[in-house]
Amino acid sequence: MTEDPFEAIKATFFQECEELLADLEAGLLALENGEGDDETINAVFRAVHSVKGGAGAFGMEALVRFAHVFETLMDELRAGRKPCDDATIKTLLRASDVLNDHVAAARGAGAPVDEARSAGLVAELEALTHGDAAPAASAAAPEADEDEFGFKPVQFDPMDLAPAAAPATSGGGDWRIVFQPNAALYAKANDAGLLLRELSRLGEATVEIDASGVPMLDVLEPEEGCLSWTIRLPGAVDEAAIREVFEFVDGDCDLAILRDEAEAPPVEFVAAPVAAPAPDLDITALLAAAQAQVQAPAEPAAPAPEPAPVIAAPAAEAKAPPAAPETAANAPVAQAPVTIRVDLDRVDRLINLVGELVIQQAVLAQRVSETAMIRATGVGQGLEDLELLTREIQDSVMAIRAQPVKSVFQRMPRLVREVAQMTGKQVRLVTEGEATEVDKTVVERLAEPITHMLRNAIDHGLEKPDKRVAAGKSAEGQVRLAALHRSGRIVIEISDDGAGINRERVLGIAVEKGLVEPDTQLSDEQIDNLIFMPGFSTAETISDVSGRGVGMDVVKRSIQSLGGRISITSKPGEGSTFTMSLPLTLAVLDGMVVSSAEQTLVAPLAAIVESLTPRAEDIHLVGGHTPVIRFRDEFVPLVDVAATLGFGIGPEPASTGVALIVEAEGGAKAALLVDAIQGQRQVVIKSLETNYQAIDGVAAATILGDGRVALILDIDALVSNTRRSVRKPDLKLAS
Amino acid sequence: MTEANIQTGARRELIAFRIGEQEFCVDIMAVREIRGWTPATPLPRTPGYMKGVINLRGAVLPIIDLSGRFGLGVTEPNARHVIMVVHIRDRTIGLLVDAVSDILQLTDDQVQPTPDVAADEVKAFVKGIFAIDGRMISLIALDRILPTEPEAEAA
Amino acid sequence: MKTVLTVDDSRTMRDMLMMALKDAGYHVIQAEDGVHGLETLKAHGADVVITDINMPRMDGFGFIEGMRADPDYRGTPVLVLTTESDAAKKQRARDAGATGWIVKPFDPVKLVDAVRRVAA
């Protein structure tokens, strides 16, 4: 939190910009899909307008200039003076990308704006605004005039707020101000008394009141103006300052500002139009009407036809929403969800505390169970209730940090546009399940794998337009990005309607790279999954789009490091679907608790394929010393966990031990030999690096029900250590 | 602590503790709490003075056996041993010592350079010596206690 | 202490108004659009209202007309806050019953001047 309130507001502004830009893009995409209406155009206008407004206040000139051009075109569109056609929307989408860049640049968070691109879009936007098809009206009545450019950075200095009544030059005799308010002045809640007070702040004022205009009581209209004042001010007072006092009532009063030395000309007051009082209306009815329907544009209050006081003017009646009583009855007030903003640190602290509470509760339960108090005293029931309550608190607290995947999904349309442009393909992105919630830490880490998979889907999955047409498909390919919850995990699906995996080619590459033996018989599914093998993708097979040196093996690995899984299904000619599933939070892990050499350890469940009790005949020694175990049709290395971690010697494999068959990065399997399995359990992940440092073979720690620390095994490191290729553990932790 | 600071007579509070027959002290501002020994979970492939990690109210706290760290012999801890929880840079560490003996109020000008008689291994962790009432108390440079990354990997 | 209700869909703008007005000794309450503004007014009342024009659900014009149609708030001064300084918008706001206006980006001194000019 910054101390400076101005900086704090600036931070708010950028935060708000993110939301506005997201709304902006969502609106434009809705328009592109033909789902938008006038209100969508309005919302887009408002988003650009608000970005501009805030940017102006902070003196972000480049951003203001770009937003202004953007806004001007949006204003034309919402007024219906320019058509909102496909070409325009495409330009607006690109303009929103550049607006994003401008905001990032103003924030100091992004690369400098590509000036050429920005200028190009300004030209495009202006061409659309002032295009040939412009009806005469647009030239005649530009709604947003250039005056708006006169922004000035706001300097908040409390000292500035002291009254600034500095008389300028003395320019002659005293001022004589004759002021007669009309009814309209009062109708707009202006107050003649306050204006007189403001005048008296400018200098020593004398005020005379003329009540001769007050009519007889029987015709007195309370809101009618019938008094007039004459105010005298020293000649040193600036005329502009006097006029400023009357700025808001210009037209609602008769005003003469005169120098006294000049002979006062006879002041002639013209009878002013009398505004009729509005009919009494209940706000509740009005609210209901407003919520039931978009507020009809207000009509200017027409002056009443007669100068005499009237009871109720037709113009005023016309303004009242006609169906107010009905809608009040039929439309319940739509409540927007009430939200508060909380520092993430506070939430994290709460989550940590609840984590400790869960542990303490488990410790307590275990201690009590050791003392045989349970049956005698009803303590057991109390403990059970406490456990339920604790779990509920934990779930509720975790829900605070849950966020919809929308924030990640929203970044994808731009990526898709850019990749489509680079690859010369036509792509339509369809997203589903944006509201699916997952822990904030997971949301943040979804972006990278989704980005890679989308690039891959467009670059490798979709065909070029001519090929698609030749195959009898539409020239425009479709990529679908969907999120859903399934059995306590979040599932992300990315599917394309492209050509599907070319299995012959994939197998060919795999054989060529020595990943599989030439005579291996593989199922279709096995061939499809070859693309996840390390070394499958190389610089040759990756274009610069999906490229950046990242193959699907890296995507798979990063998903696995989050405790996730990924798979692919494909149908030739119809397309492919990548499915990845991830835990809903990175703060907890589904683990298998095992014991090894008197230590309690946790193996991530996501990596475990199967557990089995090895039989002597399944174990073989390769080269006389490296033990392997037969698992289904393959031999996998047998890893003595206790020995590998230096805790001692593990069990005799064939007699007492248990083997966990695990799958590490790249699909390499191993059998982890431990003494016994204690059971499955969800554990809270605690980083070792917070207070110490990373340890090879250990991914993290956790605290078990007995209050002791247990280590979480780093499966990838254990397996790769066995293969004598030391790799850094890559499980990054949430806490 | 710079040399300039040591020259001045600024008052400071120190916690003194024992390892075997020797007395050491650390700045009281670095000490968060003092607790009894609880069994630690050993960490694989760490130096002998790394006793493992314990649960300190939900945090995973590494325990360093100072005697082992100073080359004065590995401690076989029991319930009478004490863990001083200290803050070193941005980490919280438990230091296993025999007993906490005293709280001292001293000024920096009472610090003397480390004499040559001290064992070389201990000397590497000592910033200076206080002599009070015939006792010799070594002021420990806490930031040298943590193992450096290469050392831990080599071990 | 006088209460100012600010109605603006932009959090940034609401915060800026809040800061300038609090410094000048006003109590500030906030609403996010015209509908919310009328609700807030009904629930808490206000001595002065400052409203944006472009807002979702109910714009500034609708909001002012709503105020003016309710006898309780017919006499409450309303300042319109907008970047649109052209005559058409200003006139439309006046027609709806606006007491005065503030041109964005506003200068805190002018803002407080304007509030003082309309607030008893």
Side-chain angles (χ1 to χ4, degrees), chain A residues 128-173:
Chain A
L128 287 168
T129 307
H130 307 293
D132 302 335
S138 83
E143 288 227 0
D145 68 18
E146 293 300 311
D147 275 358
E148 285 178 50
F149 259 140
F151 62 79
K152 38 192 170 298
V154 180
Q155 296 294 325
F156 276 106
D157 180 353
M159 299 312 290
D160 282 350
L161 296 176
T169 50
S170 158

Side-chain angles (χ1 to χ4, degrees), chain A residues 386-407:
Chain A
L386 178 63
E387 182 178 351
L388 280 177
L389 208 55
T390 317
R391 295 284 163 195
E392 244 176 77
I393 293 174
Q394 190 176 33
D395 289 348
S396 312
V397 168
M398 293 308 289
I400 297 178
R401 249 187 10 179
Q403 284 191 334
V405 294
K406 192 177 170 192
S407 61

Side-chain angles (χ1 to χ4, degrees), chain C residues 6 14 17 26 28 42 57 60 72-73 93-94 107 110:
Chain C
T6 61
R14 287 199 304 272
L17 289 167
Y26 291 98
V28 183
K42 211 171 162 54
R57 291 212 291 174
D72 288 344
Y73 308 108
R94 295 185 68 171
D107 170 345
K110 290 232 163 90

Side-chain angles (χ1 to χ4, degrees), chain A residues 356 645 686 691-693 707 709, chain B residues 41 44 55 57-58 91-92 152:
Chain A
E356 288 165 32
L645 294 181
K686 304 272 177 183
N691 288 322
Y692 189 54
Q693 60 196 25
V709 178
Chain B
T41 301
N55 163 23
R57 290 186 301 279
R91 290 171 178 188
T92 308

